[in-house]
Amino acid sequence: MVSISSTYNEKEKFLLYSGDCLKLFRQIPDNSARLIVTSPPYNLGKEYETRQPLKDYLNSFEPLIKECVRILHPRGSLCWQVGTYVRSGQIFPLDALFYPLFKKHGFRLKNRIIWHFETGLNCFKRLSGRHETVLWFTKSNDYVFNLDAIRVPRKAARKKYSQGEKKGQLMGSPLGKNPGDVWLIPKSQIEHTTHPCPYPVALMERLILAFTNTGDLVVDPYLGSGTTAIAALLHNRRCAGAERVPKYIQIIKDRLQQLENGTLKYKPLGSISSLNQRKAA
Ligand SMILES: C[S@@+](CC[C@H](N)C(=O)[O-])C[C@H]1O[C@@H](n2cnc3c(N)ncnc32)[C@H](O)[C@@H]1O
């Protein structure tokens, strides 16, 4: 199932490009990606990145964003998952800094999703960070949004209309409620690899189910440990992604092999959906 190739081929279920994401993107045809979803490096000096002045860091994304505009289908979505950049005891919210870069290229912000997790480093001079964000952009107002695929259970029984034509009828969808824009999705220990900053499979599952349909192409420029590819393949989407660090490529290959033979450990979206009852009342 895992094909490491230097050439994009629309027939591949999963194309793992070993190298710079821009080189992969330049091969992908216009309007062919239904979802571009990723978590880029945050300029924090992690083992896979070199810290640079904030302005240079942000400017370095310009060529990739132009490619995102070109390869994204008119009804497609782009999800940019980021946290904070920290320097000299100050935090800089990366979503606020990236927003104008995407807006400048015509992307329309649909939601700023708060991804809330309850564990992490403890701070002593400020409040401990327990959320990051996902900027969900579309190219137009005509876009794929499968709300029914991501509804969550209700806490209370459905209310009934008390007056008007619908008096006595149940309110809301029998499939559950809209999950809202605050998502409690724990960082799962069972998904741990030696990659320093993976996001959970369930976070990707919800985005992929909401914004794509079976067979669609999902593209991740910064695959890391391959979480996006796992969620895409779990739901019968195609995936193309890039990663330039060989040891992470090996992690991706191992995880995809485990997915194929049924031994991959992950926390499925279905097992955490009810947690959101507390958050999206
Ligand atoms: C924040 S991590 C992504 C983690 C990923 N979401 C996961 O769940 O594992 C960013 C990744 O981008 C990779 N990377 C950085 N610059 C890259 C580039 N120009 N092309 C391809 N990969 C790159 C890094 O090696 C790192 O693994």
Side-chain angles (χ1 to χ4, degrees), residues 19-21 39 41 48 195 197-199 222 224-225 227 243-245 248:
D20 186 77
C21 53
S39 178
Y48 51 74
H195 192 284
C197 36
Y199 43 37
Y222 304 105
S225 61
T227 314
E243 174 53 57
R244 63 180 181 188
V245 177
Y248 303 152

Side-chain angles (χ1 to χ4, degrees), residues 12-125:
E12 297 286 3
K13 255 188 126 180
F14 175 44
L15 170 70
L16 172 54
Y17 184 85
S18 169
D20 186 77
C21 53
L22 205 49
K23 291 191 179 147
L24 166 66
F25 270 54
R26 289 194 172 132
Q27 298 182 43
I28 299 179
D30 296 358
N31 302 327
S32 55
R34 293 296 184 137
L35 173 64
I36 299 170
V37 58
T38 201
S39 178
Y42 295 0
N43 199 30
L44 290 171
K46 297 262 181 200
E47 61 181 32
Y48 51 74
E49 60 182 349
T50 309
R51 249 174 118 104
Q52 46 184 328
L54 193 52
K55 202 167 161 223
D56 296 352
Y57 161 74
L58 292 168
N59 285 340
S60 73
F61 289 93
E62 183 67 15
L64 183 73
I65 295 173
K66 279 190 186 151
E67 282 297 296
C68 289
V69 178
R70 184 185 65 74
I71 72 166
L72 189 64
H73 187 275
R75 299 193 69 225
S77 287
L78 183 146
C79 293
W80 199 255
Q81 191 279 307
V82 281
T84 49
Y85 166 68
V86 186
R87 192 184 60 208
S88 312
Q90 284 187 76
I91 68 157
F92 299 78
L94 287 176
D95 59 351
L97 297 171
F98 273 110
Y99 171 73
L101 307 188
F102 288 100
K103 182 82 183 127
K104 186 176 87 180
H105 286 282
F107 283 106
R108 308 161 77 94
L109 189 63
K110 290 291 160 192
N111 277 118
R112 178 173 170 271
I113 301 163
I114 306 297
W115 165 36
H116 171 46
F117 38 86
E118 292 171 317
T119 53
L121 289 177
N122 290 315
C123 294
F124 296 98
K125 290 193 155 187

Side-chain angles (χ1 to χ4, degrees), residues 195-210:
H195 192 284
C197 36
Y199 43 37
V201 172
L203 178 66
M204 284 306 99
E205 286 189 86
R206 190 176 274 165
L207 297 172
I208 287 169
L209 287 169

Side-chain angles (χ1 to χ4, degrees), residues 262-278:
T263 58
L264 181 75
K265 292 198 175 112
Y266 70 100
K267 220 167 168 36
L269 179 63
S271 71
I272 59 108
S273 280
S274 58
L275 293 177
N276 292 279
Q277 289 178 343
R278 284 160 38 198

Side-chain angles (χ1 to χ4, degrees), residues 193-236:
T193 69
T194 54
H195 192 284
C197 36
Y199 43 37
V201 172
L203 178 66
M204 284 306 99
E205 286 189 86
R206 190 176 274 165
L207 297 172
I208 287 169
L209 287 169
F211 306 138
T212 67
N213 293 313
T214 303
D216 283 353
L217 176 64
V218 177
V219 179
D220 184 345
Y222 304 105
L223 268 177
S225 61
T227 314
T228 304
I230 290 167
L233 296 174
L234 272 171
H235 295 286
N236 298 316

